[in-house]
Amino acid sequence: MARAHWGCCPWLVLLCACAWGHPKPADLGGQDVRNCSTNPPYLPVTVVNTTVSLTALRQQMQTQNLSAYIIPDTDAHMNEYIGQHDERRAWITGFTGSAGTAVVTMKKAAVWTDSRYWTQAERQMDCNWELHKEVGTTPIVTWLLTEIPAGGCVGFDPFLLSIDTWESYNLALQGSNRQLVSITTNLVDLVWGSERPPVPNQPIYALQEAFTGSTWQEKVSGVRSQMQKHQKAPTAVLLSALEETAWLFNLRASDIPYNPFFYSYTLLTDSSIRLFANKSRFSSEILSYLNSSCTGPMCVQIEDYSQVRDSIQAYALGDVRIWIGTSYTMYGIYEVIPKEKLVTDTYSPVMMTKAVKNSKEQALLKASHVRDAVAVIRYLVWLEKNVPKGTVDEFSGAELVDKFRGGTGLEAQTPEVLPPRHSLPLLSPTKELNRKLSSDEMYLLDSGGQYWDGTTDITRTVHWGTPSAFQKEAYTRVLIGNIDLSRLIFPAATSGRMVEAFARRALWDAGLNYGHGTGHGIGNFLCVHEWPVGFQSNNIAMAKGMFTSIEPGYYKDGEFGIRLEDVALVVEAKTKYPGSYLTFEVVSFVPYDRNLIDVSLLSPEHLQYLNRYYQTIREKVGPELQRRQLLEEFKWLQQHTEPLAARAPDTASWASMLVVSTLAILIWSV
Amino acid sequence: MARAHWGCCPWLVLLCACAWGHPKPADLGGQDVRNCSTNPPYLPVTVVNTTVSLTALRQQMQTQNLSAYIIPDTDAHMNEYIGQHDERRAWITGFTGSAGTAVVTMKKAAVWTDSRYWTQAERQMDCNWELHKEVGTTPIVTWLLTEIPAGGCVGFDPFLLSIDTWESYNLALQGSNRQLVSITTNLVDLVWGSERPPVPNQPIYALQEAFTGSTWQEKVSGVRSQMQKHQKAPTAVLLSALEETAWLFNLRASDIPYNPFFYSYTLLTDSSIRLFANKSRFSSEILSYLNSSCTGPMCVQIEDYSQVRDSIQAYALGDVRIWIGTSYTMYGIYEVIPKEKLVTDTYSPVMMTKAVKNSKEQALLKASHVRDAVAVIRYLVWLEKNVPKGTVDEFSGAELVDKFRGGTGLEAQTPEVLPPRHSLPLLSPTKELNRKLSSDEMYLLDSGGQYWDGTTDITRTVHWGTPSAFQKEAYTRVLIGNIDLSRLIFPAATSGRMVEAFARRALWDAGLNYGHGTGHGIGNFLCVHEWPVGFQSNNIAMAKGMFTSIEPGYYKDGEFGIRLEDVALVVEAKTKYPGSYLTFEVVSFVPYDRNLIDVSLLSPEHLQYLNRYYQTIREKVGPELQRRQLLEEFKWLQQHTEPLAARAPDTASWASMLVVSTLAILIWSV
């Protein structure tokens, strides 16, 4: 299955829907979804029978004296994508969507999920389960208050609730005479037993020096220096997010689908470095790289992953202060540290440092985007030629762009360990997956690659036939949004949230909008959605050296979808009057679809920006195409980056211009 | 003193600096500010000797076994402007600036304030006081940790710390072995003794029905209906902000400078209405209006203001749930309610309801702005004639606009009780106050009035001579910001924070910006800065029926200041494609200064917007000026609202247009 691989581009699953024209959820008809109101209920073949496992879970709940048990959709590290052995909610409910919380009481069982998954849930869940079409802790607690008796206990696995989520449940239950009970042994795991997939165990490897911005020793010293400068003088930093440990030590593995991480925690103290992971996964070479045979302040001691809670609790007995990023720390760690020994920030110093790329990291990420542009352009050229033949289906097309990414030339430097890369525009295994593409529809490709030097993410939307006037208008408004945000000049330390509306204004103006975020940070062979950079309320302020995607879109339900996504580097802006201002430098280098641009909607400033961007694409990607003798692609690039001209004035203004200029001529003749 | 009156426009104090050209703070020289490094120290005459009161305060602290005592700048209701008897920080320090926290230890005393007040603090404080040029609880706690011993207690008046501020101190002190101690008797008041100004005691009066949007009974029923619908089923709502009680009962008084409130709390339960205030201030007519002789659910029981804490504590003993808005509730109330009996939101249901004006309230507020425009226009015409004579100073000018506001015609309907109104552009009693205005400088007038039907707030910036190119550019960029935000179309329920950057973009583009917020809600004869509407992070989402100011600016330190402020109503927008979208309808009707607009910076869309706005001003204000036979002002209005024309094309494009049109003529002649 595609999700078992990593090195792929998992964000495709979330964001992309490639060629539109799929039937709307409402059109699916009764034969695809369950009907629990008939006797016997109608259950499609896609439904999983959960009666046995639910009975077993309730026995475990009874043993623990619980009235209810919460089964979240996350893992112990707040990973965006989780391993199969962590898919407890999917296993117990049958519902495999990536978002949704389950709660089981002694009599009922229910799932809360958002509109993306309502149909899927009705196809996969049997009638043991209620479907609640809401999200957040409030509706869950409201339901719990009616379902469980006063005095009842609500159990949860403390490693599956973040501090914030726990606080939200706790606050909502306050004064209700129902109690939250933390149980470190996961009850679903007890029921799952030997059927549960094993925890990944592949080797953990170190990145070559050419692909790292700093050595791990430099990074450790940098974090310790921040500890020393901190007014609360923390004695240790605890890292819970897998990308934090991977980044700190320049180590990678493949535990998490699409993200090159391994299960781990790090407790970096002022005098020691304690890495919690499965020790058998480190080769002697890597152990030596980590100085793991010594015990000094620059020696990494490997401790067992399962020991982290006990070890933190033991460390917290001393005269210590542990610095955590609350966003990525689970309640299971938080609850064993006395509050007065906690130093809390939203994000750990490693998250904050990683967000700003140094000059070497910037150069690496930029280089990966030039090669990635070659792959995307090759794919677009191939589609343009082959879609009209009616032989291209979504799956084979996606395999091809993946192949092109594999041929971008970086392997020549690192042939032996280059991880597999895939780019699937739609991974859900539905019968529509292999639908043939045609020239009569819009095609949205949101894809990216994991390269040694950088992670890429780009979306282009194309139409090979004759788009409707509305499709062109919507596309052009999305493009204006992309341009308006990309060329914005803003004060240093402005938060993305304050400026993301510039990507929406042109759509809003016509009564259009999109329902997703406008961008996210991106890593150097790390997360494709790298927090805390981006345009949402929980993102940090923009700073020079950060990378973010800029990706407005528009989606006409059941008809077509548009998204134009570029990755951009935050750089200093030169302003007329001196000041500390920033702007974006786009590092994705694939032209937009001329066939979909309504030039009459663009201002002279938009055209100027676009033509300058096209010139940059020619300069960056042209030589790479020529070097690789991709002459057809080179020609395509030249055609698609021809400067766009302003529209001819419409008749009315043409006439008024004539009047004015004729007067001018008369005056001149005087 | 001006601040002793209410009905004035106190926001002037905060926002306005009228004609610029004052010496920069750095230019003031040693003779104006203290110098504590000489022996003996140099103290200007403006300094207050605080040695005796500080000694007395430390005696009180010793009695309570405190190592430190916090003296905030607020009152028990989070009022933006506070009564003289609440000016404890000013009295104990000598520093009268509106923002700044004092902390006294057994050995030291210190004030933390922002840059607006640094010079003032150095002029007013003696050498007992350190000045810290920082704000927020973090620097205060950092200082405390070095100044007081481990195990030390930090005292505070729980009615002067909001829940949030208390939590912030508590969090910062966590694990430091220093303890926060709540002491309900204010220690400064004990020292202040009989010198402390009395609490205001004027009659409390009811608004005439013509000036209210609903009766108090309707408002009470509305809040109770929200209690019933609330999933946590609160049994009572507690109102701590004075504007909440004033709004709920349609009552007003003059306890707070510039805001028509009276000291009060309300506990609105499912079966009773308990109003905490000084009972002697209610006439028998008002007591009857409030049904205060009965005890049913629609009868208002008046209890003594001083009893509120005990009464809430007693009420909380029952099987009750008390709904509070945490933003306006002080720790002194919060600490007596068991956490499980609290239902918390950021803002109370009264704050949330009050934010959306019903159609009658909208009409009232709009009408007050038309009359206010007449007053401002009269003042601008008068200034235009008199400033060149060199006889106008800032103070007399300000008195005049106040007089014009008093003559707007509303008194005719309510001659007997119209409150005094003032509009002072700069209230600080400095020697620069009476500086003469001249035609060579920019003049910024930020003013407003309290009318029976509405509170107004408007800022215009003018120049009667020849502004510099930079002044014109900055003014025009501020104007573009005002227009870009005012004409923005955005989805219903968008928060102001997400769109306020549209008011800044044109400035940012050139490397310019302003350091204040972009707007605030406004009341119907209530607060001029009415929360929770506005463009800041703690404001709620925009909704149809809200009013907000839109007020970008630019300030060149020591040289000139620009601000263009209008009040706007949030209305539904008509979009090309259907959807739930909002935009702004500006209800301030005074033209901008043509002398300061650089038309070449405006796009055709800006010009179109501006000319349409000018047309609306003519339609709304013209007839009112004619009705009142203000013919000179009418003529001025016509001149100042002449449609603005696009700039002539520059030579190059002019020439190319000629070529094009000449060709066209040739073709036509064929």
Side-chain angles (χ1 to χ4, degrees):
Chain A
M1 223 187 90
R3 289 192 68 179
H5 298 277
W6 66 272
C8 297
C9 309
W11 54 104
L12 299 169
V13 185
L14 276 188
L15 294 179
C16 169
C18 56
W20 253 251
H22 301 205
K24 293 183 195 181
D27 300 339
L28 289 167
Q31 72 280 15
D32 283 301
V33 301
R34 67 180 185 176
N35 183 351
C36 298
S37 65
T38 59
N39 190 356
Y42 170 75
L43 298 176
V45 291
T46 44
V47 151
V48 175
N49 186 331
T50 62
T51 304
V52 174
S53 46
L54 263 177
T55 306
L57 178 62
R58 287 188 175 119
Q59 280 167 357
Q60 294 293 343
M61 287 164 59
Q62 209 149 24
T63 310
Q64 301 278 349
N65 198 23
L66 300 179
S67 300
Y69 189 65
I70 302 171
I71 304 146
D73 52 15
T74 188
D75 67 9
H77 304 276
M78 300 283 284
N79 279 309
E80 185 172 4
Y81 309 103
I82 63 173
Q84 287 187 340
H85 66 286
D86 278 326
E87 292 191 338
R88 299 176 180 91
R89 202 279 336 284
W91 182 77
I92 194 80
T93 65
F95 161 58
T96 59
S98 72
T101 300
V103 178
V104 176
T105 67
M106 295 317 282
K107 287 184 185 155
K108 288 190 180 173
V111 164
W112 284 258
T113 190
D114 67 79
S115 58
R116 289 177 298 171
Y117 297 111
W118 294 343
T119 304
Q120 185 180 347
E122 297 280 13
R123 282 180 184 175
Q124 296 183 316
M125 298 198 305
D126 66 14
C127 293
N128 286 309
W129 295 89
E130 295 177 5
L131 173 62
H132 292 268
K133 298 179 173 183
E134 292 170 300
V135 290
T137 51
T138 306
I140 294 177
V141 171
T142 306
W143 182 82
L144 274 173
L145 294 181
T146 63
E147 294 299 330
I148 65 170
C153 290
V154 180
F156 69 97
D157 178 342
F159 277 94
L160 299 184
L161 288 193
S162 70
I163 300 172
D164 282 351
T165 308
W166 176 83
E167 277 177 350
S168 161
Y169 277 112
N170 194 45
L171 192 73
L173 284 168
Q174 225 168 44
S176 70
N177 197 17
R178 274 84 169 176
Q179 205 188 331
L180 273 177
V181 179
S182 164
I183 301 166
T184 49
T185 304
N186 189 288
L187 303 191
V188 174
D189 290 354
L190 291 180
V191 177
W192 207 348
S194 61
E195 275 184 51
R196 189 180 170 214
V199 177
N201 206 18
Q202 294 100 319
I204 295 164
Y205 56 90
L207 287 177
Q208 291 185 17
E209 196 264 336
F211 301 122
T212 63
S214 323
T215 64
W216 71 256
Q217 288 88 345
E218 286 165 344
K219 291 176 176 176
V220 162
S221 301
V223 177
R224 284 199 175 127
S225 153
Q226 290 185 59
M227 288 160 59
Q228 280 156 12
K229 285 179 197 147
H230 196 292
Q231 65 148 1
K232 291 199 171 175
T235 59
V237 168
L238 174 68
L239 306 176
S240 290
L242 302 191
E243 59 186 295
E244 294 176 307
T245 292
W247 177 87
L248 185 66
F249 298 109
N250 294 322
L251 293 179
R252 301 288 188 274
S254 53
D255 297 6
I256 302 295
Y258 322 116
N259 286 319
F261 310 145
F262 54 98
Y263 290 101
S264 55
Y265 293 90
T266 299
L267 183 71
L268 174 59
T269 81
D270 42 15
S271 59
S272 66
I273 309 168
R274 299 166 68 174
L275 169 54
F276 297 85
N278 180 345
K279 194 163 180 173
S280 70
R281 300 176 65 184
F282 295 86
S283 66
S284 58
E285 194 185 349
I286 298 295
L287 291 174
S288 154
Y289 161 84
L290 292 172
N291 299 337
S292 70
S293 57
C294 55
T295 54
M298 292 308 276
C299 306
V300 181
Q301 299 158 53
I302 316 253
E303 299 185 34
D304 198 68
Y305 176 80
S306 64
Q307 290 305 304
V308 67
R309 183 174 151 114
D310 292 346
S311 293
I312 300 292
Q313 194 161 20
Y315 177 76
L317 292 175
D319 178 20
V320 298
R321 281 163 306 283
I322 306 174
W323 192 2
I324 62 167
T326 53
S327 286
Y328 284 89
T329 308
M330 307 310 274
Y331 186 70
I333 297 286
Y334 179 78
E335 68 174 335
V336 300
I337 307 175
K339 297 299 152 282
E340 69 274 13
K341 297 191 175 181
L342 272 175
V343 176
T344 58
D345 276 310
T346 309
Y347 300 103
S348 77
V350 163
M351 277 288 186
M352 298 296 282
T353 306
K354 179 164 61 61
V356 176
K357 272 66 175 166
N358 66 24
S359 56
K360 186 176 169 194
E361 289 162 337
Q362 288 176 27
L364 289 167
L365 244 173
K366 283 184 182 181
S368 70
H369 277 81
V370 172
R371 293 196 314 282
D372 196 63
V374 170
V376 175
I377 288 168
R378 287 180 72 183
Y379 182 53
L380 290 175
V381 171
W382 183 86
L383 285 172
E384 201 171 298
K385 281 197 299 186
N386 290 285
V387 167
K389 299 178 192 162
T391 54
V392 183
D393 64 49
E394 292 181 355
F395 194 84
S396 65
E399 277 189 324
L400 193 71
V401 66
D402 185 33
K403 183 176 146 238
F404 289 144
R405 284 213 162 87
T408 54
L410 190 61
E411 313 91 304
Q413 300 163 40
T414 57
E416 70 290 1
V417 280
L418 193 75
R421 285 173 304 270
H422 294 260
S423 305
L424 305 181
L426 186 65
L427 291 172
S428 315
T430 68
K431 60 182 174 184
E432 293 97 29
L433 186 64
N434 289 317
R435 213 168 57 82
K436 291 275 183 295
L437 301 180
S438 92
S439 300
D440 293 333
E441 63 194 356
M442 267 176 160
Y443 181 69
L444 184 162
L445 177 77
D446 182 345
S447 71
Q450 285 285 18
Y451 302 89
W452 289 117
D453 45 359
T455 308
T456 67
D457 192 7
I458 184 168
T459 311
R460 286 294 179 268
T461 306
V462 290
H463 194 301
W464 299 284
T466 308
S468 71
F470 178 60
Q471 286 175 328
K472 287 183 74 169
E473 178 181 353
Y475 183 95
T476 309
R477 289 184 183 277
V478 171
L479 177 61
I480 291 173
N482 181 305
I483 293 174
D484 279 349
L485 184 52
S486 298
R487 74 193 181 104
L488 185 74
I489 291 169
F490 53 95
T494 299
S495 76
R497 184 67 168 173
M498 273 200 66
V499 298
E500 75 115 32
F502 287 96
R504 299 179 186 268
R505 189 200 52 82
L507 287 161
W508 288 353
D509 225 32
L512 310 177
N513 201 2
Y514 55 93
H516 56 72
T518 295
H520 53 80
I522 194 162
N524 283 87
F525 190 36
L526 281 167
C527 283
V528 66
H529 295 155
E530 186 177 89
W531 244 240
V533 174
F535 295 96
Q536 307 204 32
S537 55
N538 60 356
N539 292 127
I540 57 173
M542 292 286 174
K544 186 184 153 188
M546 290 176 173
F547 282 80
T548 179
S549 74
I550 292 177
E551 47 179 306
Y554 172 72
Y555 310 88
K556 176 82 176 162
D557 190 28
E559 294 184 23
F560 65 88
I562 297 164
R563 185 159 62 252
L564 297 176
E565 175 185 23
D566 295 301
V567 169
L569 169 63
V570 180
V571 295
E572 278 175 4
K574 287 186 188 71
T575 50
K576 182 173 175 185
Y577 303 104
S580 187
Y581 285 80
L582 301 172
T583 190
F584 297 105
E585 176 191 328
V586 173
V587 302
S588 301
F589 296 118
V590 179
Y592 307 111
D593 188 358
R594 300 171 86 84
N595 192 28
L596 281 163
I597 299 176
D598 178 352
V599 179
S600 75
L601 291 172
L602 301 179
S603 72
E605 291 78 15
H606 294 135
L607 280 167
Q608 190 184 33
Y609 174 90
L610 205 51
N611 289 333
R612 206 176 291 156
Y613 173 55
Y614 279 5
Q615 184 58 36
T616 308
I617 294 180
R618 284 183 172 187
E619 288 162 12
K620 298 275 184 188
V621 184
E624 181 72 14
L625 291 171
Q626 286 178 307
R627 189 181 68 77
R628 296 170 63 187
Q629 299 191 309
L630 296 166
L631 300 184
E632 189 179 0
E633 284 79 3
F634 181 77
K635 193 176 152 202
W636 181 95
L637 183 73
Q638 295 302 111
Q639 283 168 352
H640 285 74
T641 51
E642 273 296 314
L644 287 159
R647 62 168 165 171
D650 62 33
T651 329
S653 53
W654 191 240
S656 69
M657 207 173 11
L658 275 179
V659 173
V660 172
S661 58
T662 308
L663 283 173
I665 291 168
L666 291 177
I667 295 159
W668 275 17
S669 350
V670 173
Chain B
M1 224 187 87
R3 290 194 64 182
H5 298 277
W6 66 271
C8 299
C9 308
W11 53 104
L12 298 170
V13 186
L14 275 189
L15 294 180
C16 171
C18 55
W20 254 251
H22 300 208
K24 294 184 194 177
D27 300 341
L28 288 166
Q31 73 280 16
D32 283 301
V33 302
R34 67 179 184 176
N35 184 351
C36 298
S37 64
T38 58
N39 191 357
Y42 170 75
L43 298 176
V45 292
T46 44
V47 151
V48 175
N49 185 331
T50 63
T51 304
V52 174
S53 46
L54 262 178
T55 305
L57 178 62
R58 287 190 175 120
Q59 278 166 359
Q60 294 293 343
M61 287 165 59
Q62 208 148 26
T63 309
Q64 301 278 349
N65 198 23
L66 299 179
S67 300
Y69 189 64
I70 302 172
I71 305 146
D73 51 15
T74 188
D75 67 8
H77 304 276
M78 299 283 285
N79 279 310
E80 186 173 1
Y81 308 103
I82 62 173
Q84 287 187 338
H85 65 288
D86 278 327
E87 292 191 338
R88 299 176 180 93
R89 203 276 341 278
W91 181 76
I92 194 79
T93 65
F95 161 58
T96 60
S98 71
T101 300
V103 178
V104 176
T105 67
M106 296 315 282
K107 287 186 186 156
K108 289 191 180 172
V111 163
W112 284 257
T113 190
D114 66 79
S115 58
R116 290 175 298 171
Y117 297 111
W118 294 343
T119 304
Q120 185 180 345
E122 298 279 12
R123 283 179 183 175
Q124 297 183 316
M125 299 198 304
D126 67 12
C127 293
N128 285 310
W129 295 89
E130 295 176 3
L131 173 62
H132 291 265
K133 299 181 174 181
E134 292 170 300
V135 291
T137 51
T138 306
I140 295 177
V141 170
T142 306
W143 182 83
L144 273 173
L145 294 182
T146 62
E147 293 300 329
I148 66 169
C153 291
V154 181
F156 68 97
D157 178 342
F159 277 95
L160 299 184
L161 288 193
S162 70
I163 300 172
D164 282 350
T165 309
W166 176 83
E167 277 177 352
S168 159
Y169 277 112
N170 193 45
L171 191 71
L173 283 169
Q174 227 169 43
S176 72
N177 197 16
R178 273 86 169 174
Q179 204 188 332
L180 274 176
V181 180
S182 164
I183 302 166
T184 50
T185 305
N186 190 289
L187 303 192
V188 175
D189 290 354
L190 291 180
V191 177
W192 209 348
S194 61
E195 274 184 50
R196 189 179 169 214
V199 177
N201 206 17
Q202 294 100 320
I204 294 165
Y205 57 89
L207 287 178
Q208 291 185 19
E209 195 262 338
F211 302 122
T212 63
S214 324
T215 65
W216 71 255
Q217 288 89 344
E218 287 165 342
K219 290 177 177 178
V220 162
S221 300
V223 177
R224 283 200 176 126
S225 153
Q226 290 185 58
M227 286 160 61
Q228 280 156 13
K229 285 179 197 148
H230 196 291
Q231 65 147 2
K232 290 197 172 175
T235 59
V237 169
L238 173 69
L239 306 176
S240 290
L242 302 190
E243 60 185 293
E244 293 177 307
T245 291
W247 177 87
L248 184 67
F249 298 110
N250 294 321
L251 292 178
R252 301 287 188 276
S254 54
D255 297 6
I256 301 296
Y258 323 115
N259 285 319
F261 310 144
F262 54 98
Y263 290 102
S264 55
Y265 294 89
T266 298
L267 183 71
L268 173 60
T269 82
D270 41 15
S271 59
S272 67
I273 310 169
R274 300 166 68 174
L275 169 54
F276 297 86
N278 181 344
K279 193 162 182 173
S280 69
R281 301 176 64 183
F282 296 87
S283 67
S284 58
E285 194 185 350
I286 298 295
L287 290 173
S288 153
Y289 160 85
L290 291 172
N291 300 336
S292 70
S293 58
C294 56
T295 53
M298 291 309 275
C299 307
V300 182
Q301 300 157 51
I302 316 252
E303 300 185 34
D304 197 69
Y305 177 79
S306 64
Q307 290 304 304
V308 68
R309 183 174 150 114
D310 291 346
S311 293
I312 300 291
Q313 193 161 22
Y315 177 76
L317 292 174
D319 179 19
V320 298
R321 281 163 306 283
I322 306 174
W323 192 2
I324 61 167
T326 52
S327 287
Y328 283 88
T329 309
M330 307 310 273
Y331 185 71
I333 297 285
Y334 179 78
E335 68 175 335
V336 300
I337 308 175
K339 296 301 152 279
E340 68 275 13
K341 296 190 176 181
L342 271 175
V343 177
T344 58
D345 276 309
T346 310
Y347 300 103
S348 78
V350 164
M351 276 287 185
M352 297 297 283
T353 306
K354 181 164 61 61
V356 176
K357 273 67 177 166
N358 67 24
S359 57
K360 186 176 169 196
E361 289 162 336
Q362 288 176 29
L364 289 168
L365 244 175
K366 283 183 183 182
S368 70
H369 277 81
V370 171
R371 294 195 314 283
D372 197 64
V374 170
V376 175
I377 288 168
R378 286 180 73 184
Y379 183 53
L380 289 175
V381 171
W382 182 87
L383 284 173
E384 201 171 299
K385 282 197 298 185
N386 290 285
V387 167
K389 298 177 192 162
T391 55
V392 183
D393 63 50
E394 293 181 355
F395 194 84
S396 66
E399 276 190 326
L400 193 71
V401 66
D402 187 34
K403 184 176 145 234
F404 289 143
R405 285 215 161 86
T408 55
L410 190 63
E411 313 89 310
Q413 302 161 39
T414 55
E416 71 289 3
V417 279
L418 192 74
R421 287 173 302 271
H422 294 259
S423 306
L424 305 180
L426 185 66
L427 293 170
S428 317
T430 66
K431 59 182 174 185
E432 293 96 31
L433 187 62
N434 289 316
R435 214 167 55 84
K436 292 276 184 293
L437 300 181
S438 93
S439 300
D440 293 332
E441 64 195 355
M442 267 175 158
Y443 180 69
L444 184 162
L445 177 76
D446 181 347
S447 71
Q450 285 286 18
Y451 303 90
W452 289 116
D453 45 358
T455 308
T456 65
D457 192 7
I458 184 170
T459 310
R460 287 294 179 266
T461 305
V462 290
H463 194 300
W464 301 285
T466 308
S468 70
F470 178 60
Q471 286 174 328
K472 287 182 74 169
E473 177 181 354
Y475 183 95
T476 309
R477 289 184 184 276
V478 171
L479 177 61
I480 292 173
N482 182 305
I483 293 174
D484 280 349
L485 184 52
S486 298
R487 74 192 181 105
L488 186 74
I489 292 169
F490 53 94
T494 299
S495 76
R497 184 68 169 173
M498 271 200 68
V499 298
E500 74 115 34
F502 287 96
R504 300 179 186 267
R505 190 200 51 82
L507 287 162
W508 287 354
D509 226 29
L512 309 177
N513 201 3
Y514 54 94
H516 56 72
T518 295
H520 53 79
I522 194 162
N524 283 87
F525 190 36
L526 280 168
C527 282
V528 67
H529 294 156
E530 186 177 88
W531 244 240
V533 174
F535 295 96
Q536 306 203 35
S537 55
N538 60 355
N539 292 127
I540 58 175
M542 292 285 173
K544 186 183 153 187
M546 291 176 172
F547 282 81
T548 179
S549 73
I550 292 176
E551 48 179 303
Y554 172 72
Y555 310 89
K556 176 81 176 164
D557 189 29
E559 295 185 23
F560 64 89
I562 298 164
R563 184 159 61 252
L564 297 176
E565 175 184 22
D566 295 302
V567 170
L569 169 63
V570 180
V571 296
E572 277 175 6
K574 288 188 187 71
T575 50
K576 181 173 175 185
Y577 303 104
S580 187
Y581 286 79
L582 302 172
T583 190
F584 297 105
E585 177 190 327
V586 173
V587 302
S588 301
F589 297 118
V590 178
Y592 308 109
D593 188 357
R594 301 171 86 83
N595 193 26
L596 280 163
I597 298 176
D598 178 352
V599 178
S600 75
L601 290 173
L602 300 178
S603 72
E605 291 78 15
H606 294 135
L607 281 166
Q608 189 184 34
Y609 173 91
L610 204 51
N611 289 333
R612 205 177 290 158
Y613 173 55
Y614 280 3
Q615 184 57 34
T616 308
I617 295 179
R618 284 184 172 187
E619 289 163 11
K620 299 273 183 188
V621 184
E624 181 73 13
L625 290 172
Q626 287 179 307
R627 189 182 68 76
R628 297 169 62 188
Q629 299 193 308
L630 296 166
L631 301 184
E632 188 180 359
E633 284 78 3
F634 181 77
K635 193 176 151 203
W636 182 94
L637 183 72
Q638 296 301 112
Q639 284 169 351
H640 284 74
T641 51
E642 274 294 316
L644 287 159
R647 62 167 163 170
D650 61 36
T651 328
S653 54
W654 190 241
S656 70
M657 204 171 18
L658 274 179
V659 173
V660 171
S661 57
T662 309
L663 282 173
I665 292 167
L666 291 176
I667 294 160
W668 274 16
S669 352
V670 173

